[in-house]
Amino acid sequence: MYGKQCINKGLKMVSLFKKLFTKKINVQAPVTGELIPLSSVPDEVFSTKVMGDGFAIKPTENKLFSPISGTVLSVFPTKHAITFSTDDGIQVLLHLGIDTVELKGAPFNILVHEGEHISAGDEIGTMDIDQIIKAGKSTEIIIVITNMEKLKSIDRVSDTNVSHGDKIGALNLS
């Protein structure tokens, strides 16, 4: 009996150490709005997680902020998407609205540039929600991890109203 107890305690300690020493990257809300499941986004590429797993927010404000700290890898010419890389090599796509590529950049003012180092919570631009709605497009902002193989898991907060800068989840690195 004593041997089993020692083994069980040892396994619990290993589990505790793994939890304590697993590297996590916090993800912040890039906009104020309603945090929704990625599966409810009206675009199958995102809702079925073909691009990767992540988060989605229905914005209520126009200002955009970085969800993570890292380097800007690219700003799409149509300004509807920005990619970032964390210092740990996690690649994050910030996609602004659904089918907004068709608007040719008109509703977006992006303040960051390729190669720029940014911190989580830095203002990165604006998105004219009214202009997107008038164009008949959906305004959901999608945050997707495109290299999921580098993660063990994603922790998420419950769907709720969020303000930019609120923690919406954590990326647990492999």
Side-chain angles (χ1 to χ4, degrees), residues 22-35:
T22 296
K23 178 140 188 195
K24 292 182 180 234
I25 298 171
N26 289 331
V27 180
Q28 295 183 4
V31 68
T32 297
E34 180 188 359
L35 182 65

Side-chain angles (χ1 to χ4, degrees), residues 29-78:
V31 68
T32 297
E34 180 188 359
L35 182 65
I36 60 171
L38 193 59
S39 60
S40 69
V41 171
D43 184 322
E44 286 187 12
V45 171
F46 297 112
S47 64
T48 61
K49 302 180 183 178
V50 170
M51 296 281 299
D53 201 355
F55 311 88
I57 298 174
K58 288 184 180 181
T60 56
E61 293 184 3
N62 292 329
K63 282 190 175 185
L64 303 169
F65 301 85
S66 179
I68 52 98
S69 294
T71 302
V72 177
L73 293 180
S74 67
V75 176
F76 284 61
T78 52

Side-chain angles (χ1 to χ4, degrees), residues 64 74-83 93-97 100-113 124-128 132:
L64 303 169
S74 67
V75 176
F76 284 61
T78 52
K79 304 176 191 172
H80 76 288
I82 305 167
T83 57
L93 170 67
L94 183 65
H95 196 276
L96 309 173
T100 52
V101 65
E102 298 167 6
L103 304 179
K104 300 178 181 169
F108 307 109
N109 179 28
I110 304 303
L111 304 174
V112 294
H113 301 54
I124 59 171
T126 58
M127 170 176 147
D128 188 333
I132 293 169

Side-chain angles (χ1 to χ4, degrees), residues 157-168:
V157 299
S158 300
D159 300 335
T160 185
N161 290 324
V162 294
S163 295
H164 74 82
D166 287 352
K167 179 181 174 183
I168 57 173

Side-chain angles (χ1 to χ4, degrees), residues 120-135:
D122 285 354
E123 186 174 353
I124 59 171
T126 58
M127 170 176 147
D128 188 333
I129 296 169
D130 291 335
Q131 187 176 356
I132 293 169
I133 291 169
K134 285 178 187 167

